[in-house]
Amino acid sequence: MWSSDSFDALLFAASRACCSSMAYFIQIQGFCICLLLALGWALASYVRNKEIRRMKESVKRGHHFAFLCHDINELEHSNQVNLPRVSVVMPLKGFGEHNLHNWRSQITSLYGGPLEFIFVVESTEDPAYHAVSRLLKEYKDDVEAIVVVAGLSTTCSQKIHNQLVGVNKMQKDTKYVLFLDDDVSLHPGSIGALTTEMEKNPDIFIQTGYPLDLPSGSLGSYCIYEYHMPCSMGFATGGKTFFLWGGCMMMHADDFRTDRHGLVSGLRDGGYSDDMTLAAIAKANERLITSPPVAVFPHPLASDLSFGRYWNYLRKQTFVLESYTTKFNWLMNRALFSFHCYASWGFVAPYIMAGVHVAAALRLYFKGYSFGEATLPCTGLRFVGGLATCTVIELLSMWNLTRIEVQLCNLLSPEAPPLSLASYNWCLVFIAMVVDNFLYPVSAIRSHLSQSINWSGIRYHLKDGKVHKIERSKDKGPKFTDLGGKHLYGKKGGSNNYSFLLSLSRSFAQWWQPKKYDV
């Protein structure tokens, strides 16, 4: 039988083992990871905050439209009439609680040039088809927009298929194409800001941005927030970056018309991830990817986002490292795979050791021993104190970046209900940091071994880094998407029944109740 003394002996032995030379190395590594993350978020905060100061100074000088452009002269009619045509392509899948709000923010852009919106769905069975069609009827006299039925993909992911079909539908005089995800809320000046940068520097191949997650309160939503935050460093450069986010990509329309660098064929012929494929093409051809400081977009997460849906999302994120276009791309993905797995468990291991030290110390305390009796190595508690200090610094840096991005989003969307940090639960953020970093290697290894993934009810199988088999079965697929809580399936040939109307009315209610978006 397992006795209390045996448990104590094992616990104290584990505590002493956590003070060995190897454990000391792991502990120092954990400190370094925490501090490097804090430094990265601090630098990202500086870039975003610099843009906030610029906007506030412009307002003081009388430029009250600083949220639209840097120079008020850009709003002159003579400049507006010369703006290039932009085609916004949005691949849709399902309909959920935040879609109407996001679509409204996209189609009500204050871009002064010719602008068209192309919503692309797989079929009329998709609830998104009926939802966006109803929305566009409200704006039929004010917005140039169409809904396109793309049909089923056969050689690539459904999202890429929808994007390419949308590109084929854009006007002949379109100069730039902007790909957007339907779960992102745009600012009034976002399209104008991206276009201005493209006009200033014709060498830009792709312009991108990044979402600011708005957790809904569940652990799953905080895990997604925590997962995205380290990546946000690479997008807060205020200029050149090596990162690319598929939720916002502005490109030259002629690059698609001429299949420059083989980007169309690279996406169409076995492409799984749009952003990973395009990033690989940009790297192979030494093309420029940039991310302006204003390209940060509110991303409200589903109010009922479960932990299971977070796990499905994490599986999709790790699976993209299994897709590749070239040998160099494969090597880069393997390097990212190895580094991320090593860093994730290197981050978690010190907290496990700290837990052992704390448990041993509490056991001694309740048994009436003093710490000076050398039963517990004193270095253990010093390590716990050091780790706690580094964790606090890391969380403060994360909080500061989130605070600044919230403030920037509020300045960029002065007409929208203000965002807030009031409901962020930082205890859950810390728990999510440990949980997410522990699960990432598990998910990555599973993705590597399986070579298949279920993405919104469609199972993709990879071979040599490309999609080679696609399986569709509504009976086997999930009912909801991972982040937006969107209904994936509707009824064929007509508008959805009660479930759709209920979801639609709920979204309208949230549109008119700003508190739903205060986070």
Side-chain angles (χ1 to χ4, degrees):
M1 182 177 294
W2 188 261
S3 66
S4 176
D5 290 340
S6 299
F7 173 78
D8 290 346
L10 181 62
L11 182 61
F12 298 147
S15 180
R16 286 190 290 272
C18 289
C19 292
S20 65
S21 298
M22 178 59 69
Y24 180 76
F25 170 77
I26 294 174
Q27 293 164 7
I28 296 299
Q29 174 184 266
F31 293 168
C32 292
I33 292 174
C34 287
L35 295 177
L36 284 174
L37 285 171
L39 177 61
W41 286 323
L43 293 175
S45 300
Y46 172 78
V47 173
R48 302 290 193 198
N49 196 43
K50 186 177 180 181
E51 184 65 20
I52 291 175
R53 292 197 303 268
R54 185 201 63 76
M55 291 178 65
K56 289 183 175 180
E57 290 173 359
S58 296
V59 172
K60 287 181 180 179
R61 293 194 301 268
H63 180 17
H64 297 289
F65 294 97
F67 65 96
L68 292 179
C69 58
H70 289 183
D71 186 357
I72 195 170
N73 293 322
E74 295 177 20
L75 298 177
E76 293 288 343
H77 178 72
S78 57
N79 291 323
Q80 295 285 297
V81 295
N82 294 320
L83 290 174
R85 172 177 281 273
V86 176
S87 294
V88 182
V89 176
M90 282 176 279
L92 308 182
K93 182 70 173 180
F95 177 73
E97 60 183 296
H98 299 299
N99 281 129
L100 280 176
H101 172 78
N102 295 333
W103 294 339
R104 285 181 187 273
S105 73
Q106 292 164 357
I107 65 176
T108 55
S109 168
L110 295 182
Y111 178 65
L115 182 64
E116 67 171 339
F117 295 88
I118 305 172
F119 295 87
V120 191
V121 296
E122 173 186 306
S123 71
T124 56
E125 296 181 50
D126 194 321
Y129 174 80
H130 307 288
V132 75
S133 296
R134 292 187 179 192
L135 179 64
L136 294 184
K137 286 181 180 179
E138 300 178 24
Y139 294 89
K140 60 182 179 180
D141 297 327
D142 305 310
V143 176
E144 182 182 347
I146 59 173
V147 183
V148 178
V149 178
L152 302 180
S153 64
T154 58
T155 62
C156 58
S157 69
Q158 187 65 45
K159 179 183 179 182
I160 289 177
H161 176 70
N162 288 10
Q163 288 173 325
L164 295 178
V165 169
V167 165
N168 288 333
K169 295 294 183 179
M170 65 186 178
Q171 298 290 333
K172 293 182 179 180
D173 60 339
T174 291
K175 187 173 183 180
Y176 302 114
V177 56
L178 173 61
F179 297 105
L180 290 178
D181 280 354
D182 64 351
D183 56 356
V184 170
S185 179
L186 279 190
H187 307 293
S190 294
I191 297 177
L194 293 170
T195 305
T196 298
E197 293 299 319
M198 296 289 281
E199 289 287 281
K200 286 181 179 178
N201 186 358
D203 291 333
I204 295 176
F205 182 51
I206 308 174
Q207 264 201 113
T208 188
Y210 205 64
L212 168 62
D213 288 328
L214 310 177
S216 58
S218 65
L219 178 59
S221 67
Y222 278 102
C223 284
I224 290 169
Y225 162 76
E226 188 282 328
Y227 174 81
H228 283 158
M229 283 303 290
C231 301
S232 66
M233 302 174 193
F235 293 87
T237 60
K240 182 179 179 179
T241 181
F242 299 103
F243 297 87
L244 184 59
W245 177 55
C248 173
M249 301 185 298
M250 177 172 276
M251 304 180 65
H252 295 270
D254 282 343
D255 287 348
F256 285 89
R257 295 188 180 106
T258 61
D259 192 16
R260 190 174 188 182
H261 307 310
L263 65 90
V264 173
S265 53
L267 291 167
R268 181 190 60 219
D269 301 332
Y272 168 75
S273 170
D274 53 337
D275 48 13
M276 293 291 286
T277 302
L278 291 172
I281 292 173
K283 178 66 177 178
N285 294 276
E286 298 183 351
R287 296 303 307 275
L288 179 62
I289 300 175
T290 65
S291 182
V294 295
V296 54
F297 311 106
H299 182 211
L301 300 174
S303 58
D304 59 347
L305 199 154
S306 64
F307 193 80
R309 296 224 298 269
Y310 150 72
W311 169 250
N312 289 335
Y313 176 77
L314 183 63
R315 285 273 289 115
K316 289 196 303 183
Q317 295 301 300
T318 56
F319 189 73
V320 298
L321 294 179
E322 301 304 314
S323 65
Y324 54 90
T325 57
T326 63
K327 184 68 174 179
F328 178 79
N329 188 204
W330 178 83
L331 289 172
M332 289 298 296
N333 285 0
R334 295 277 66 81
L336 285 172
F337 175 95
S338 303
F339 172 77
H340 204 153
C341 288
Y342 177 83
S344 291
W345 274 351
F347 176 84
V348 172
Y351 289 101
I352 296 176
M353 295 180 180
V356 171
H357 288 311
V358 171
L362 290 175
R363 192 67 176 171
L364 283 175
Y365 175 79
F366 287 117
K367 279 183 167 289
Y369 292 100
S370 65
F371 295 138
E373 297 180 26
T375 307
L376 178 72
C378 59
T379 54
L381 292 181
R382 286 201 296 267
F383 156 68
V384 172
L387 182 61
T389 301
C390 291
T391 302
V392 169
I393 295 173
E394 179 187 16
L395 286 173
L396 284 174
S397 184
M398 183 191 290
W399 167 83
N400 186 54
L401 175 58
T402 306
R403 176 186 66 84
I404 289 173
E405 289 187 339
V406 163
Q407 186 178 1
L408 180 57
C409 286
N410 288 335
L411 289 173
L412 291 170
S413 294
E415 84 298 342
L419 305 178
S420 167
L421 285 175
S423 66
Y424 275 66
N425 186 326
W426 294 97
C427 290
L428 273 180
V429 171
F430 168 71
I431 294 172
M433 288 169 58
V434 177
V435 171
D436 180 65
N437 281 283
F438 176 78
L439 290 178
Y440 183 91
V442 177
S443 176
I445 292 170
R446 182 177 175 183
S447 295
H448 179 68
L449 296 176
S450 69
Q451 291 295 298
S452 70
I453 192 71
N454 189 315
W455 184 3
S456 297
I458 306 172
R459 181 162 290 279
Y460 298 98
H461 298 265
L462 298 185
K463 183 178 181 180
D464 297 327
K466 297 183 179 296
V467 174
H468 83 104
K469 183 180 178 181
I470 301 175
E471 296 177 340
R472 291 179 172 87
S473 175
K474 289 185 180 180
D475 295 332
K476 296 180 181 180
K479 184 178 179 182
F480 302 98
T481 55
D482 301 322
L483 301 187
K486 298 185 290 186
H487 290 266
L488 294 180
Y489 310 119
K491 289 198 172 182
K492 187 175 181 179
S495 61
N496 291 325
N497 58 11
Y498 176 75
S499 61
F500 167 73
L501 294 176
L502 180 63
S503 182
L504 186 65
S505 62
R506 182 181 180 185
S507 295
F508 270 116
Q510 289 183 338
W511 173 257
W512 293 109
Q513 294 178 17
K515 289 183 179 180
K516 292 289 185 180
Y517 297 99
D518 289 347
V519 292

